């Protein structure tokens, strides 16, 4: 149904482009979080700057965060 809807409204190309931009920005964000952790920055300070919780930052640190980062 979504394919039909986006084909008839013409939103498909814009949606795909925005998704690609989102995926790239997300990958860069998680790479920066990983780099900060590798440099010894703690989960609390990274959480304050990123808007994520300390617990989520710790999951990223422990390799249990997003699968594609």
């Amino acid at each position: 149904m979504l394919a039909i809807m986006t084909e008839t409204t013409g939103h498909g190309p814009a949606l795909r482009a925005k998704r690609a931009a989102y995926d790239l920005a997300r990958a860069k964000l998680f790479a920066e979080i990983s780099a900060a952790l590798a440099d010894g920055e703690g989960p609390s300070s990274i959480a304050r700057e990123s808007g994520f919780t300390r617990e989520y930052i710790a999951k990223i640190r422990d390799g249990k965060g997003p699968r594609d980062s």
Side-chain angles (χ1 to χ4, degrees):
M1 178 161 207
L2 180 61
I4 295 168
M5 188 170 48
T6 57
E7 287 173 14
T8 59
T9 62
H11 291 286
L15 290 169
R16 286 189 295 277
K18 298 292 191 274
R19 177 59 196 236
Y22 167 82
D23 289 342
L24 179 60
R26 185 176 184 270
K28 288 179 179 181
L29 172 62
F30 285 98
E32 190 65 32
I33 289 170
S34 295
L37 288 164
D39 286 344
E41 200 162 332
S44 293
S45 63
I46 297 170
R48 276 192 299 276
E49 295 296 328
S50 68
F52 292 127
T53 64
R54 292 184 324 269
E55 293 80 11
Y56 192 61
I57 299 299
K59 282 184 179 183
I60 294 169
R61 177 196 62 208
D62 298 340
K64 299 176 185 171
R67 291 185 194 111
D68 59 350
S69 66

